[in-house]
Amino acid sequence: MSKFITRSAVLSDLDTLLEFEQGIIAFERPFDPTLKEDPISYYDLGELIKSDDAEVVVIEHEGQLVASGYAQIKKGKPYLDHELYSYLGFMYTDASFRGQGLNKKVVEALKDWSKSKGISEIRLTVYDDNAGAIRAYEKVGFKAHIVEMRIVNLK
């Protein structure tokens, strides 16, 4: 069995991470009719990599990046029981490596980083119709919490 290495992303990973981001956007586009036409970008990955309030994690296999995710510390609403929380995003696994527990490895690394920063709450968002992602997040301990709803084309 080949070894997977989990590590913090560095700026020299950026080209591959930008490809991952476009893979995420392409995958999510059918779930979200509100996305603008390409080209779009979700993240400022360079800033996330450099930030003390964020951690970008990658998984490397034989010198190739195959998975990613980030945690970013955000302020909780003043009425919540936590002042800060980690928000997870940029969860990506290369198609040829899916089903091997890499999402779990990324989430565990981000949980460890969050704990090291004194954070006890982790949140993420996922499209309601993305059953595969929901199952993957439930496997690592996430539970559905809030459903965001919308009305469009008000006239």
Side-chain angles (χ1 to χ4, degrees), residues 30-126:
F31 296 112
D32 193 340
T34 69
L35 293 178
K36 292 180 181 179
E37 301 260 335
D38 283 327
I40 63 170
S41 180
Y42 286 166
Y43 318 105
D44 187 337
L45 293 167
E47 287 304 311
L48 287 168
I49 290 169
K50 293 187 279 186
S51 175
D52 291 335
D53 290 331
E55 173 73 350
V56 181
V57 167
V58 294
I59 296 182
E60 193 176 305
H61 175 73
E62 297 179 354
Q64 173 189 355
L65 298 185
V66 297
S68 65
Y70 79 76
Q72 184 176 34
I73 297 172
K74 296 192 173 218
K75 287 187 183 250
K77 301 285 185 191
Y79 52 80
L80 295 176
D81 66 1
H82 53 276
E83 183 179 332
L84 301 171
Y85 67 97
S86 281
Y87 178 82
L88 301 193
F90 190 49
M91 307 301 289
Y92 178 83
T93 301
D94 183 279
S96 57
F97 291 90
R98 292 184 186 145
Q100 298 184 49
L102 300 185
N103 182 65
K104 181 177 181 177
K105 288 179 184 295
V106 169
V107 170
E108 288 301 319
L110 295 172
K111 281 170 60 177
D112 290 345
W113 178 83
S114 296
K115 283 186 220 172
S116 78
K117 296 289 189 174
I119 304 295
S120 61
E121 174 94 8
I122 297 178
R123 295 179 176 226
L124 57 75
T125 55
V126 60

Side-chain angles (χ1 to χ4, degrees), residues 7 10-24 45 49 58-59 63-68 90 92 94:
R7 64 172 174 81
V10 294
L11 289 174
S12 60
D13 296 326
L14 206 47
D15 287 344
T16 301
L17 296 179
L18 291 170
E19 290 175 20
F20 286 5
E21 178 185 33
Q22 292 308 306
I24 292 168
L45 293 167
I49 290 169
V58 294
I59 296 182
Q64 173 189 355
L65 298 185
V66 297
S68 65
F90 190 49
Y92 178 83
D94 183 279

